[in-house]
């Protein structure tokens, strides 16, 4: 039997990590990555150089055809169709697949989604789970459907959360693996093995209460110090690396990059920077008398600093009220 031919669609680092693992698994699992679909290069850096996506770079390193279309119109359909693919495999591509494009693939498409669908449909499931303080993160392989994340479920699993993870650590990890990519590749390879042998995708319709996650905006990161330290800690971790969590000190934007929760209590007004303790960190009063300990901060247009370096350069910080 001929190998299952797939087109892989993705763009950022986490998706590139999965692509590399799939490339390694091709022979064992009976499929072939015929091409890769990714976003066009974007301008970055001081000189606005056009930089390809991490997925594009990983594909080219392995001599895989790369498609970088702005829109998935007739040109894209014709180019992909020429490779005679059987199945579309997507993870964090960032664009919607229309019915005409999906029709190019006899078996349709599958998508890796980091939530326990139908919970946290949409584009920001990992931040949503962290923001809500969940103790597990779901991983789902679903069939691609025309409505966002409403396709039949092929495989699901959950990974435990310890309360210190960030969106960045869960998705990108050390750049070679992460909790999401490690678990995701296990599920994807199992689905692809099954599809390679029987050329079908048998899923189960989604059931249970659904929820949707929105696009994140920069202003979402504003810290409300009336919330508890636990809620703010969840926000900081959920919004790392984007949009990051910030407040204002003397009308200057101050980003809190890393923090932890104190076991102590205070009767100070929320947002008050408490007396400095060198061995602890910068304590900030929050709602319900709880305390957040900031350990890495960054003033606007300044470099990120650990709390000791920051406090040395901000002598009037202690006693101020943030907000």
């Amino acid at each position: 039997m001929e190998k299952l031919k797939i087109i892989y669609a993705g763009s950022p680092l986490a998706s590139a990590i999965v692509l590399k693992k799939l490339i390694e698994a091709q022979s064992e699992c009976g499929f072939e990555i015929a091409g890769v679909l990714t976003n066009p290069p974007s301008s970055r850096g001081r000189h606005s150089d056009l930089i390809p996506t991490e997925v594009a770079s990983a594909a080219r390193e392995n001599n895989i055809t790369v498609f970088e279309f702005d829109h998935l119109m007739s040109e894209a359909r014709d180019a992909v169709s020429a490779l005679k693919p059987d199945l579309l495999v997507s993870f964090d591509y960032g664009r919607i697949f229309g019915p005409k494009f999906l029709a190019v693939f006899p078996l349709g498409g599958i998508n890796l989604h980091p939530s326990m669908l139908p919970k946290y449909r949409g584009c920001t499931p990992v931040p949503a789970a962290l923001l809500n303080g969940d103790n597990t993160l779901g991983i789902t392989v679903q069939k691609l459907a025309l409505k966002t994340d409403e396709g039949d479920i092929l495989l699901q699993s959950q990974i435990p959360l310890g309360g210190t993870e960030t969106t960045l650590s869960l998705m990108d990890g050390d750049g070679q693996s992460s909790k999401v990519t490690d678990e995701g590749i296990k599920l994807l390879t199992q689905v692809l093995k099954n599809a390679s042998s029987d050329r079908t995708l048998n899923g189960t319709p989604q059931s249970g209460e659904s929820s949707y996650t929105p696009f994140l905006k920069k202003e979402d990161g504003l810290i409300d110090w009336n919330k508890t330290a636990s809620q703010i800690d969840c926000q900081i971790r959920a919004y790392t690396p984007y949009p990051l969590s910030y407040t204002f000190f003397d009308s200057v934007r101050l980003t809190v990059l890393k923090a932890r929760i104190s076991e102590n209590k205070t009767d100070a007004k929320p947002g008050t920077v408490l007396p400095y303790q060198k061995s602890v960190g910068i304590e900030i009063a929050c709602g319900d008398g709880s305390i957040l300990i900031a350990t890495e901060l960054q003033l606007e247009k300044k470099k990120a600093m650990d709390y000791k370096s920051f406090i040395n350069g901000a002598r009037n910080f202690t006693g101020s009220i943030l907000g």
Side-chain angles (χ1 to χ4, degrees):
M1 182 181 292
E2 290 186 3
K3 288 185 177 181
L4 186 76
K5 275 184 146 185
I6 70 173
I7 297 292
Y8 182 84
S11 293
L13 178 57
S15 189
I17 294 172
V18 169
L19 172 61
K20 291 176 183 178
K21 298 292 186 183
L22 285 177
I23 291 170
E24 294 172 1
Q26 288 180 106
S27 297
E28 179 186 348
C29 297
F31 64 87
E32 172 194 350
I33 301 174
V36 159
L37 190 64
T38 190
N39 286 329
S42 57
S43 58
R44 302 181 211 170
R46 182 180 301 176
H47 304 292
S48 297
D49 296 327
L50 286 176
I51 307 297
T53 67
E54 285 86 351
V55 163
S57 297
R60 290 190 174 109
E61 288 171 4
N62 290 274
N63 299 313
I64 296 173
T65 300
V66 175
F67 300 113
E68 299 167 307
F69 295 107
D70 282 308
H71 305 286
L72 299 179
M73 307 300 284
S74 59
E75 181 186 2
R77 295 195 298 271
D78 291 344
V80 170
S81 181
L83 297 181
K84 296 183 172 22
D86 299 300
L87 177 69
L88 175 65
V89 178
S90 174
F91 175 43
D92 213 350
Y93 173 49
R95 293 171 188 264
I96 295 173
F97 303 109
K100 290 183 179 179
F101 187 79
L102 287 177
V104 169
F105 305 89
L107 293 181
I110 63 174
N111 178 56
L112 178 64
H113 186 78
S115 85
M116 206 69 179
L117 289 173
K119 189 177 184 181
Y120 302 144
R121 290 171 175 165
C123 56
T124 54
V126 175
L130 293 179
L131 194 64
N132 289 335
D134 293 355
N135 56 19
T136 60
L137 179 70
I139 309 290
T140 300
V141 178
Q142 59 167 328
K143 293 180 71 173
L144 279 169
L146 296 181
K147 292 186 177 180
T148 301
D149 296 328
E150 294 190 21
D152 289 354
I153 292 169
L154 298 167
L155 275 181
Q156 281 185 317
S157 65
Q158 296 186 81
I159 54 177
L161 298 175
T164 61
E165 297 89 351
T166 66
T167 296
L168 181 64
S169 71
L170 284 169
M171 292 293 288
D172 294 354
D174 61 3
Q176 303 298 318
S177 68
S178 70
K179 287 186 176 181
V180 166
T181 60
D182 286 351
E183 191 62 27
I185 198 67
K186 290 178 186 177
L187 301 185
L188 273 177
T189 51
Q190 185 58 56
V191 169
L192 290 171
K193 277 183 181 178
N194 295 342
S196 297
S197 63
D198 55 27
R199 291 301 201 266
T200 59
L201 292 170
N202 297 314
T204 304
Q206 295 184 27
S207 61
E209 186 175 352
S210 65
S211 60
Y212 287 85
T213 62
F215 284 103
L216 294 176
K217 306 181 294 296
K218 286 186 177 181
E219 53 265 33
D220 291 333
L222 180 62
I223 296 171
D224 178 0
W225 294 106
N226 291 301
K227 292 184 177 180
T228 66
S230 178
Q231 290 173 317
I232 296 171
D233 173 65
C234 286
Q235 175 184 324
I236 291 168
R237 293 184 294 107
Y239 292 166
T240 300
Y242 183 85
L244 296 176
S245 294
Y246 67 93
T247 185
F248 288 94
F249 166 55
D250 282 350
S251 300
V252 178
R253 186 185 181 107
L254 173 66
T255 302
V256 182
L257 296 169
K258 293 181 181 179
R260 67 178 187 273
I261 305 164
S262 172
E263 295 180 357
N264 298 325
K265 291 287 186 177
T266 181
D267 57 4
K269 180 181 177 180
T272 301
V273 180
L274 303 176
Y276 177 58
Q277 300 181 60
K278 187 175 182 180
S279 62
V280 176
I282 298 173
E283 296 184 311
I284 305 170
C286 305
D288 289 344
S290 59
I291 298 173
L292 186 79
I293 302 173
T295 57
E296 186 175 336
L297 307 96
Q298 183 174 17
L299 274 172
E300 190 172 11
K301 298 182 180 179
K302 302 288 185 180
K303 66 179 183 179
M305 297 183 182
D306 64 73
Y307 71 91
K308 293 179 182 178
S309 300
F310 181 86
I311 207 74
N312 285 337
R315 298 291 183 179
N316 59 336
F317 193 59
T318 298
S320 65
I321 299 178
L322 308 176

